[in-house]
Amino acid sequence: QVQLVESGGGLVQPGGSLRLSCAASAFIFSNFAMSWYRQAPGKERELVAGSTSAGGSTNYADSVKGRFTISRDSAKNVVYLQMNNLKPEDTAVYYCNALHSGILTIDYWGQGTQVTVSS
């Protein structure tokens, strides 16, 4: 059974850091682009950061550039999101996504992890 399990969320003060992890199982990790999305209350889900299947290219939302870093460990089938200099507006549920685009599009989501930035 395919699983994406996020962890690492929590409460942090403004200016603090968190590292989110997403452990993937039951699919060929290296064949999938991996991304982090977030959804704040009353807002639509938005892309935060993405990594191509080979991990050679990354992209970020303008709001997190220079503060967040996405990385993937293919040996462990884990994708990370290092979040530094967190701001209250980063408060949201963060979701891990795996996407394979080919003849068929295959799309998996994790259950989400809450990140709250507050003093």
Side-chain angles (χ1 to χ4, degrees):
Q1 181 179 357
V2 170
Q3 281 193 311
L4 292 175
V5 180
E6 300 103 333
S7 61
L11 173 64
V12 63
Q13 292 187 343
S17 297
L18 283 175
R19 188 177 79 158
L20 305 183
S21 300
C22 172
S25 60
F27 64 93
I28 302 175
F29 186 75
S30 59
N31 286 354
F32 284 71
M34 300 298 297
S35 300
W36 287 95
Y37 286 75
R38 68 186 180 188
Q39 187 166 19
K43 294 187 177 181
E44 293 190 353
R45 191 172 296 190
E46 63 173 351
L47 175 67
V48 176
S51 171
T52 57
S53 57
S57 179
T58 57
N59 62 287
Y60 298 91
D62 287 342
S63 60
V64 307
K65 281 181 181 176
R67 299 188 298 122
F68 290 11
T69 302
I70 187 171
S71 61
R72 54 194 296 163
D73 184 335
S74 296
K76 297 181 179 178
N77 285 2
V78 177
V79 61
Y80 302 99
L81 184 68
Q82 178 66 45
M83 306 185 294
N84 297 328
N85 190 21
L86 282 159
K87 303 176 180 181
E89 52 263 41
D90 295 318
T91 296
V93 178
Y94 284 71
Y95 296 92
C96 179
N97 172 262
L99 177 67
H100 174 74
S101 299
I103 296 174
L104 294 177
T105 296
I106 305 172
D107 196 19
Y108 301 126
W109 290 90
Q111 82 288 349
T113 185
Q114 176 70 46
V115 171
T116 302
V117 184
S118 176
S119 55

